[in-house]
Amino acid sequence: MTNLKRLKVAVTGANGFVGRNLSHLLVAKGLDTLQIVRKRKKIKSGMIIISKNLDEKHLSSKLKGCNAFVHLIGIGRQTTHSSYDEVNVNLTKKAIMLCKEVRIKKIIFISGLGVNKDTTFGYFISKFRAEQEIINSGLDYTIFRASYIIGRNDPLTRTISEQYKKGVITIYGSGKYHLQPIFIDDVVEVIFQSLTDKKFSYKIIDLVGPQIITYLSFIQNFLQGRKVSIKKISFEEAYHQALNNLDSQIGVDDLNILVGDFIGDPKVLKKISHVKFKTYKKALKTSTFS
Ligand SMILES: NC(=O)c1ccc[n+]([C@@H]2O[C@H](COP(=O)([O-])OP(=O)(O)OC[C@H]3O[C@@H](n4cnc5c(N)ncnc54)[C@H](OP(=O)(O)O)[C@@H]3O)[C@@H](O)[C@H]2O)c1
C-alpha cells in the first residue's frame, strides 16, 4: 500500500474548474501537490508552478519525484489564437514528454463522453487524438470520458445562471436530448483513487453520474420553481448564433455536445471506485445558482 502522504502529484490546468477542486482535495489530504498554471490566482494553497506551454526548462527539476501527472488543460471552443490542435493535442504530447523526462509513471486525463474513432467533430477529434497519444505513450494511464461535471462554478450551470440573470433561459431545439451529469466532489474523489489504485490502470472509463435526464428536466430542476421565461429556439437559429458568435454563451461544439445525446455506462466506475455517487439534484444544490 502506497503511503498517500508521500505522494507527489502534478496537476495542469489547476486554475480551471476541475483543477481547482482537485488541488483543494489533494492538499486537504496532505499530498504534495504541484499546481501548474499559466497565471497565479489570488487564493491558492499548495505549490504553484507557472508555465505558459509546458515547455520551460525549469519544469523538469520542479517535477522530479512526482508519482502522477493529472493533465487537465483543455478547451471546448476554438478561437483564432487558440486551436484544438495546439491545446488539446499538442499540450498533451508535451505533458507525456515531461512525464517521460522526469520518470513520472502515471498520467490521468479527462476526455469527453462520446469520443470515439469515428467521430467527425473537431473537439472530439482532438480529444481522441490526445487519448491515442496517451495510450501509445507506454505510461500507465487512466482516461476518463466525462459527461457534464456539476458543482460551484461549473461551465454548464454558470451559463444557465447567466441566462437566468438576463431573464431568459434558452432551450435549443426540443430540449429532449439527454445528459448524465456527475458531481464534482465525486469526480475529484475518483481521480484521487485513480492515482494509486491499479484497478484504474490502462483504462478508458466513462465518468458519468447515476442518472440520465433530458436537458429540459435539468433546467427545471436547476430552477427549483423560480420563475423565468423559457425561450425555445430552433437548432438553425442556435447554430447561426453560435457560428457567428452572436450569443457568446454557447459555442458550436457546446451545442454539438449538448444535443449529441451522449450517454455512458456507469458500471465500470461504480465497480472499481468506492464512491457513492450523488444524484444530479444533490449536485445542483451546490451549483453556481444555489
Ligand atoms: N467540466 C466538464 O464538464 C468537462 C467535461 C468533459 C471533459 N472535460 C475536460 O476536463 C478538463 C478540465 O475541465 P475544466 O472544466 O476544469 O475546464 P476549465 O475550467 O476550462 O479549465 C481548463 C484549464 O485549461 C487551461 N488552459 C486552456 N488553454 C490553455 C493553454 N493554451 N495553455 C495552458 N493552459 C490552458 C486553463 O487555464 P487558465 O485558467 O489560465 O485559463 C484552465 O485552467 C478539460 O480538458 C476538459 O476538456 C471537462
Side-chain angles (χ1 to χ4, degrees):
M1 172 89 183
T2 320
N3 182 349
L4 288 178
K5 297 253 173 209
R6 295 175 69 184
L7 269 188
K8 190 169 171 180
V9 180
V11 180
T12 67
N15 278 336
F17 167 59
V18 180
R20 284 192 307 274
N21 284 282
L22 178 66
S23 302
H24 184 76
L25 178 84
L26 300 182
V27 170
K29 287 194 187 268
L31 272 64
D32 200 353
T33 310
L34 308 179
Q35 300 163 65
I36 306 177
V37 295
R38 288 192 282 193
K39 272 191 204 142
R40 187 178 289 274
K41 297 251 162 102
K42 268 189 192 151
I43 313 159
K44 276 262 170 216
S45 54
M47 158 111 80
I48 311 290
I49 300 175
I50 304 291
S51 166
K52 288 266 172 259
N53 52 16
L54 304 185
D55 242 354
E56 297 84 352
K57 289 219 167 68
H58 67 90
L59 279 179
S60 32
S61 62
K62 290 190 172 138
L63 292 180
K64 257 201 187 108
C66 266
N67 308 86
F69 194 99
V70 187
H71 182 50
L72 297 176
I73 290 176
I75 51 168
R77 194 184 296 193
Q78 298 192 97
T79 65
T80 43
H81 50 264
S82 176
S83 73
Y84 289 146
D85 244 18
E86 281 166 48
V87 181
N88 293 354
V89 184
N90 288 343
L91 290 181
T92 302
K93 285 186 191 167
K94 285 188 186 170
I96 292 167
M97 272 157 53
L98 259 177
C99 287
K100 290 189 169 176
E101 196 185 323
V102 291
R103 303 211 165 96
I104 300 173
K105 293 203 175 83
K106 174 89 197 185
I107 186 162
I108 295 162
F109 177 68
I110 306 194
S111 181
L113 184 66
V115 167
N116 70 84
K117 71 173 176 32
D118 299 317
T119 189
T120 57
F121 84 90
Y123 169 72
F124 273 14
I125 290 171
S126 69
K127 285 289 192 186
F128 180 77
R129 288 182 51 208
E131 287 184 355
Q132 291 300 303
E133 292 291 339
I134 290 170
I135 292 166
N136 295 327
S137 67
L139 298 169
D140 177 351
Y141 67 86
T142 306
I143 294 171
F144 292 107
R145 288 184 174 161
S147 182
Y148 289 96
I149 304 170
I150 306 297
R152 178 159 287 279
N153 251 327
D154 73 82
L156 178 65
T157 63
R158 205 172 50 218
T159 302
I160 304 170
S161 288
E162 280 161 15
Q163 295 184 354
Y164 176 81
K165 281 182 202 145
K166 290 182 182 164
V168 184
I169 296 220
T170 308
I171 304 285
Y172 314 96
S174 69
K176 289 184 183 157
Y177 34 84
H178 297 88
L179 346 168
Q180 209 168 351
I182 181 163
F183 185 36
I184 182 67
D185 287 9
D186 294 343
V187 166
V188 295
E189 181 57 35
V190 164
I191 296 176
F192 168 69
Q193 289 178 13
S194 71
L195 294 172
T196 52
D197 190 335
K198 291 286 173 210
K199 290 200 284 297
F200 288 85
S201 289
Y202 303 100
K203 283 198 177 66
I204 299 182
I205 300 167
D206 288 350
L207 193 58
V208 292
Q211 293 161 297
I212 297 168
I213 43 152
T214 65
Y215 188 58
L216 260 181
S217 21
F218 184 76
I219 295 285
Q220 276 149 9
N221 278 284
F222 175 86
L223 287 171
Q224 293 163 22
R226 291 172 177 97
K227 294 275 173 271
V228 62
S229 88
I230 305 260
K231 185 180 166 200
K232 279 195 176 174
I233 65 170
S234 68
F235 285 132
E236 186 179 0
E237 193 179 343
Y239 275 100
H240 176 75
Q241 286 179 3
L243 280 166
N244 295 292
N245 208 11
L246 297 177
D247 171 6
S248 60
Q249 284 170 333
I250 186 147
V252 175
D253 282 344
D254 296 321
L255 275 173
N256 289 339
I257 294 168
L258 193 59
V259 306
D261 237 5
F262 298 114
I263 295 309
D265 183 355
K267 282 201 281 300
V268 177
L269 191 59
K270 249 180 124 174
K271 197 169 157 202
I272 65 175
S273 74
H274 323 288
V275 175
K276 200 168 175 297
F277 291 94
K278 298 227 174 20
T279 61
Y280 71 86
K281 286 187 184 173
K282 285 205 175 133
L284 272 176
K285 293 214 163 91
T286 70
S287 76
T288 316
F289 196 52
S290 298

